[in-house]
Amino acid sequence: MINDEYFLAALRLAAGSDPIPGHVSAAARDAFGLRVSQAVTAPPADCAAPRGVRGGDGPGMIRFVAAGLTFDLEVTVGDGLIDVAGQVFPHPGEGSHVDVRTPHLTLTRRLARSGQFAVTGLPPGWLSVVCHRPGFAPVQTRWVRIRP
Amino acid sequence: MHEPRDPAELLKAAAEDDHTAWDQLESRFGSRMWAVARACGLNEADAADAVQGAWLRLLENLHTIREPSGVGAWLATTTRREALLIIRKEPPGFPSFDVVHDPDPATAVLEADGRHLLWKSVSAMHEPCRTLLQLVATDMGSQQVAMRLGMPVGTVGPTRIRCLEKLRTLLSLQETVQ
């Protein structure tokens, strides 16, 4: 029963018996470095392909839309690491690039003419993609949690 | 010594790129967010993800929190929602991870004031409730609690439920008096 659980959690908190681990606090503080000034945040949107993330039986698609841009991300988890094959459309223009970010690692990719990009070997956990385009505000996807 | 900055002020400063304000928000609310995630039944790794997720949602919403003074409640509620999504194993992009702006009353008991009142109320309870709840609060298992209190293991669970019920009644009486 959730109410009892909250009571007990409050008691544990008051007793200091389950303190927040240091690495969780440190990760929260470091997260501040992930903010993107003036960015527009793209929420998830419906797409025809199945949602989600798959393991060995093929990728799952997640779509985000904002500021006239659509991000389609095919996310695959294999061997404990994440691969992302994505497309931004319509093409955001010459000189655009994407940052594929996790709290611990950011990989930058120029966009192909088709708007496609790919990264491999990201650590599992929280993931977001930011599209930087000359002359316009960057667009970032909402953070999504990717775990095997 | 400086007065502690209030949450609304900290949120505004963080939105204006003040890293120390962000750190202070973490100092102020991190423990409570952890307790919320653990109260939902998550193990340490998943609780860490839920807490991290709530901070990332705050980053996404730094400029759009409707009630800046309620950012602590917002963080607790958002942690709970992220925790529930993890428990339900919702795929990424599931629509229900839309950010909510209304604080969840279930997390109010974890507010600092409520927590102190709670602990004070436990200390004022009769035995065996006082010791039982204090032991449970230190994550002591049923067997050890039974040994410490000299009661059969099978009665620890039902007694715990009765004691929590008494505590709930005590707290609602205090709210009525105030």
Side-chain angles (χ1 to χ4, degrees), chain B residues 89-109:
Chain B
K89 297 188 190 308
E90 299 291 3
F94 190 76
S96 70
F97 77 25
D98 281 346
V99 172
V100 285
H101 290 278
D102 298 322
D104 178 351
T107 61
V109 70

Side-chain angles (χ1 to χ4, degrees), chain B residues 20 27 47 49 61-63 75-77 90-91 93 96-97 104 112 124 134-135 138-140 145 159 161 168 178:
Chain B
T20 59
S27 298
D49 272 1
N61 291 277
L62 264 181
H63 298 273
L75 282 166
T77 303
E90 299 291 3
S96 70
F97 77 25
D104 178 351
Q134 285 170 345
L135 293 177
T138 58
D139 270 345
M140 194 173 275
V145 172
T159 311
I161 292 170
R168 195 172 283 126
Q178 279 170 358

Side-chain angles (χ1 to χ4, degrees), chain A residues 4-10 12-13 17-18 20-21 25 28-29 31-32 35 44 51 126 142-143 145 147, chain B residues 17 19 22 26-27 34 38-39 46 49 53 55 57 59-60 80 93 98 115 118 136-137 139 168 171:
Chain A
D4 277 359
E5 288 311 314
Y6 272 98
F7 266 128
L8 291 171
R12 284 195 291 266
L13 197 56
S17 63
D18 183 18
I20 181 169
S25 288
R29 289 168 186 234
F32 193 64
R35 72 202 182 288
R51 278 182 188 284
W126 292 95
R142 198 174 279 177
W143 287 90
R145 179 178 173 267
R147 289 281 182 197
Chain B
D17 276 353
H19 199 157
W22 180 266
E26 196 285 324
S27 298
W34 178 253
R38 298 285 275 163
D46 285 342
D49 272 1
W55 286 112
R57 299 278 170 254
L59 266 195
E60 290 169 353
R80 182 168 179 230
D98 281 346
R115 221 156 65 216
L118 190 66
V136 167
D139 270 345
R168 195 172 283 126
L171 288 170

Side-chain angles (χ1 to χ4, degrees), chain A residues 10 13-14 27 29 31 33 35 55-57 59 69 71 79 93-94 99 117 136-137:
Chain A
L13 197 56
R29 289 168 186 234
R35 72 202 182 288
D57 58 344
L69 287 186
F71 295 70
D79 296 330
E94 194 62 34
D99 289 334
F117 63 92
F136 294 95

